[in-house]
Amino acid sequence: MPDRRQPDSPTDDNPFAAPPEGRPDQPWQPRGGGGGNGDGPKDSDGQRGPARWDPTDPIQRRARYALLAGMWGFFFAIFQIPSVGLLLGALAIYWGISALRGKPAPATAEGAPAAPAAPSGLDALGPAARPQRTAAVSGLVTASLAILLAFGSYALQLSYKDFYVCRDDALTKSAELQCNTLLPDNLVGDVLKVRQ
């Protein structure tokens, strides 16, 4: 098969190409959206765009913890491990609220005091606050669902304690099936009853 060569492309698109003749060398700069100084993308007002996630910032860290703990708490509550779901849900609510209300470390330049009227909480992060706020709110929602499911599971176990004790003490399948008589004849009874 013959070698198919691509037509020569202009060197403007090649970041590794030598500069054109008569033009001085320029120091390397990372590609970015608009600024060209490596500080990140800038919007139409010249302000810096959303910053990357900073794991050293406690507000951003708590927002991510809230999302992860709420999600895992919801899964544990769904899969009938309500104690772990309740613990993770409570932690997610704490982390989510502290992320939404938290105050970032004051940004001082060479020991100068921070401005007294600076915004607090996630608002102080500026454009970088949006993904963190989304993570914190999502963590609060999933944590609330996890806590509701955990309390619902505990409420069922208290309401139908006789059925659960009978089922746990049954030694044979027929004895376990006899425990279905302790359940009400409604949707909850149909869900909880022992299947053959």
Side-chain angles (χ1 to χ4, degrees), residues 38-134:
D39 290 339
K42 295 188 177 182
D43 59 13
S44 59
D45 298 333
Q47 300 291 329
R48 287 188 58 196
R52 289 186 171 196
W53 180 59
D54 181 14
T56 61
D57 184 8
I59 293 177
Q60 297 184 37
R61 209 170 44 231
R62 287 176 187 161
R64 297 296 171 100
Y65 288 166
L67 177 62
L68 289 172
M71 183 177 58
W72 280 106
F74 178 74
F75 286 139
F76 277 111
I78 286 285
F79 293 121
Q80 298 298 314
I81 309 175
S83 56
V84 178
L86 191 61
L87 172 68
L88 289 174
L91 283 172
I93 285 183
Y94 168 74
W95 282 324
I97 291 174
S98 65
L100 291 174
R101 296 185 59 191
K103 295 181 180 178
T108 59
E110 300 176 3
S120 63
L122 285 175
D123 294 334
L125 293 175
R130 185 176 175 202
Q132 309 314 322
R133 185 176 287 113
T134 302

Side-chain angles (χ1 to χ4, degrees), residues 6 63 195:
Q6 297 291 330
R195 311 284 178 203

